[in-house]
């Protein structure tokens, strides 16, 4: 709820939130109404019966059954209504459904330890799926704490030597503050965290990946993602084309250059060809490939190298010599070209590039740009 863009309540992000808010505002409105009524009569009678006023004081009333019943019965009924609404909500909040997803919480000075049933662990962060009842079974390792999520309108004491539980059903995707709401020592104010509400499919994938947004990838797989994300697969395919030579069977083969010299395609050569491809041009090709010296980190180059060297690698001692690679000739290296081992990754892999990546354009071709900052997701 906002008043002139000033929030007067936390976000409403669980099934409990509207119920708690409704009861709270119901009590607040009735409190305000009775405060105004009582205040009005206090002021009215103070003025009406002030000293020197012409008010008739000859027949004072000492009792009035109707008035006394009115101000006793009506507030009494309202009190019972409030008690019923509060007790019903309290019982509901203290009775988790049988199908609730159970997660375990240990509080300690000054940190929350979260344990998911499949073994995924978290500190000060709790990931949960949306629209799913969540039951937290909690205990303290040292002193009394209180697990409090304002956006869910839920709180429960976490005490040593005893299990307590708390449940909720999140209704909005997002990140919400988690607090310890019981003074627990000198660093109590630092005992906070975040509850992350995720789509159910994303949460299932997160659990399957051991608590990571994406699964652990091998160096070759990470290199393949980079290879696709910066557009290498557009020119370097399963066969030589006018745009670039195939990289199948590159590692360990002999490369012939435009100046007539040659060299073995080892790790140093691959690194140089990525960062400064114009220093030694493969025979039959010009300066069409962009330089990545200022765009790729050494780690990314290493991952690319790992991926490239596994593509149709030539066994030791059988390295052949690549063709002069003019036009779209088929290479004559010891490794046979196979379309099934094409360099390009599929659309799913390409789409797996983090959405936060911001590729730039260099000489008309894609460059990684900010993808280096997101390498941890690759």
């Amino acid at each position: 709820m906002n008043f002139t863009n000033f929030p007067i309540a936390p976000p409403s992000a669980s099934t409990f939130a509207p119920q708690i808010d409704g009861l709270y505002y119901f009590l607040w409105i009735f409190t305000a109404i009775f405060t105004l009524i009582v205040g009005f009569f206090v002021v009215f009678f103070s003025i009406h019966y002030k000293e020197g006023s012409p008010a008739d004081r000859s027949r004072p009333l000492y009792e009035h059954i109707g008035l006394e019943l009115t101000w006793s019965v009506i507030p009494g009924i309202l009190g019972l209504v409030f008690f019923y609404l509060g007790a019903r909500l309290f019982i509901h909040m203290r009775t988790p459904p049988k199908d609730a997803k159970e997660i375990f919480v240990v509080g300690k000075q000054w940190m929350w330890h979260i344990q998911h049933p499949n073994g995924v662990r978290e500190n000060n962060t709790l990931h949960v799926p949306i629209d799913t009842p969540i039951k937290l079974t909690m205990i303290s390792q040292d002193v009394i704490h209180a697990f409090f999520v304002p956006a869910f309108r839920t709180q429960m004491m976490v005490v040593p030597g005893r299990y307590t539980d708390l449940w909720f059903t999140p209704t909005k995707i997002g990140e919400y503050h988690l607090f310890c709401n019981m003074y627990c020592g000198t660093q109590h104010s630092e005992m906070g965290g975040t509850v992350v509400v995720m789509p159910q499919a994303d949460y299932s994938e997160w659990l399957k990946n051991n608590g990571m947004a994406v699964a652990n990838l091998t160096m070759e797989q990470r290199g393949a993602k980079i290879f696709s994300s910066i557009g290498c697969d557009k020119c370097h395919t399963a066969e030589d084309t006018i745009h670039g030579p195939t990289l199948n069977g590159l590692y360990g083969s002999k490369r012939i250059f435009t100046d007539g010299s040659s060299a073995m395609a080892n790790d140093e050569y691959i690194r140089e060809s990525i960062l400064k491809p114009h220093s030694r041009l493969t025979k039959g090709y010009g300066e069409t490939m962009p330089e990545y010296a200022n765009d790729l980190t050494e780690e990314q180059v290493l991952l690319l190298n790992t991926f490239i060297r596994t593509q149709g690698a030539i066994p030791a001692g059988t390295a052949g010599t690549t063709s002069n690679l003019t036009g779209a000739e088929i290479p004559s290296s010891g490794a046979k070209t196979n379309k099934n081992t094409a360099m390009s990754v599929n659309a799913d892999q390409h789409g797996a590039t983090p959405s936060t990546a911001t590729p730039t354009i260099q000489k008309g071709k894609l460059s990684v740009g900010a993808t280096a900052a997101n390498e941890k997701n690759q």
Side-chain angles (χ1 to χ4, degrees):
M1 183 174 182
N2 291 301
F3 181 74
T4 63
N5 293 325
F6 182 80
I8 62 175
S12 175
S14 78
T15 53
F16 291 141
Q19 301 176 62
I20 294 290
D21 290 350
L23 182 58
Y24 170 77
Y25 293 122
F26 187 40
L27 285 167
W28 192 90
I29 290 171
F30 272 89
T31 299
I33 291 173
F34 279 94
T35 298
L36 292 174
I37 292 174
V38 172
F40 169 79
F41 282 108
V42 167
V43 174
F44 173 78
F45 289 128
S46 297
I47 296 174
H48 186 70
Y49 291 104
K50 70 179 181 178
E51 185 177 359
S53 69
D56 182 11
R57 298 180 176 85
S58 60
R59 294 177 297 174
L61 291 175
Y62 294 98
E63 63 180 28
H64 191 295
I65 298 300
L67 182 61
E68 292 175 6
L69 287 175
T70 299
W71 71 36
S72 298
V73 172
I74 293 178
I77 292 174
L78 289 174
L80 290 174
V81 170
F82 294 144
F83 172 79
Y84 168 75
L85 295 175
R88 184 182 67 172
L89 182 56
F90 174 80
I91 293 172
H92 178 51
M93 295 181 69
R94 298 299 308 125
T95 310
K98 294 181 179 180
D99 62 343
K101 180 179 181 62
E102 188 172 24
I103 299 174
F104 300 89
V105 178
V106 176
K108 60 174 294 186
Q109 294 173 314
W110 290 271
M111 182 181 295
W112 295 108
H113 293 293
I114 315 294
Q115 176 76 62
H116 295 261
N118 73 334
V120 173
R121 299 179 181 181
E122 303 183 85
N123 288 328
N124 295 331
T125 303
L126 170 62
H127 286 76
V128 294
I130 191 173
D131 297 328
T132 302
I134 305 296
K135 176 187 175 183
L136 303 181
T137 298
M138 307 180 294
I139 194 169
S140 171
Q141 185 171 305
D142 35 51
V143 300
I144 298 177
H145 302 282
F147 193 96
F148 177 43
V149 185
F152 298 164
R153 311 297 192 270
T154 52
Q155 174 181 289
M156 192 57 179
M157 297 296 108
V158 182
V159 300
R162 173 189 168 191
Y163 290 110
T164 58
D165 60 69
L166 173 152
W167 82 276
F168 54 85
T169 301
T171 57
K172 292 183 180 179
I173 294 172
E175 297 185 1
Y176 304 98
H177 293 298
L178 161 64
F179 297 100
C180 174
N181 210 30
M182 173 67 68
Y183 181 74
C184 56
T186 55
Q187 293 176 251
H188 160 71
S189 61
E190 299 178 19
M191 190 172 175
T194 304
V195 178
V196 181
V197 181
M198 310 171 69
Q200 295 187 14
D202 291 353
Y203 177 77
S204 298
E205 189 70 17
W206 179 85
L207 279 182
K208 186 174 69 174
N209 295 335
N210 294 318
M212 293 178 291
V214 295
N216 279 327
L217 302 177
T218 64
M219 290 183 66
E220 180 182 348
Q221 290 171 329
R222 293 169 67 190
K225 290 186 65 176
I226 299 173
F227 189 87
S228 176
S229 67
I230 64 176
C232 300
D233 57 344
K234 302 299 187 296
C235 298
H236 300 290
T237 60
E239 298 178 352
D240 291 341
T241 68
I242 59 174
H243 303 293
T246 182
L247 302 185
N248 282 355
L250 169 65
Y251 192 77
S253 67
K254 185 178 181 181
R255 302 296 273 182
I256 300 175
F257 307 119
T258 54
D259 61 1
S261 62
S262 63
M264 191 66 66
N266 55 17
D267 294 327
E268 289 294 334
Y269 168 76
I270 294 176
R271 180 180 180 278
E272 178 188 86
S273 297
I274 295 171
L275 300 180
K276 298 180 179 180
H278 306 158
S279 59
R280 287 189 288 182
L281 293 173
T282 300
K283 187 175 182 180
Y285 294 94
E287 298 182 1
T288 56
M289 178 175 168
E291 295 185 352
Y292 292 103
N294 298 322
D295 296 302
L296 294 175
T297 65
E298 287 295 340
E299 181 182 6
Q300 289 175 309
V301 174
L302 182 61
L303 295 173
L304 278 171
N305 185 18
T306 302
F307 171 68
I308 292 171
R309 67 191 296 180
T310 60
Q311 301 307 299
I314 301 173
T318 61
T321 303
T322 60
S323 69
N324 292 334
L325 299 176
T326 56
E329 289 182 38
I330 304 300
S332 58
S333 65
K336 296 181 180 179
T337 300
N338 187 341
K339 291 184 178 181
N340 293 328
T341 60
M343 294 295 292
S344 60
V345 293
N346 61 36
D348 289 336
Q349 290 171 305
H350 184 264
T353 302
S355 59
T356 51
T358 54
T360 57
I361 301 298
Q362 181 180 12
K363 296 185 180 179
K365 298 183 182 295
L366 282 173
S367 171
V368 292
T371 53
N374 298 287
E375 182 58 31
K376 63 181 180 180
N377 293 324
Q378 296 178 337

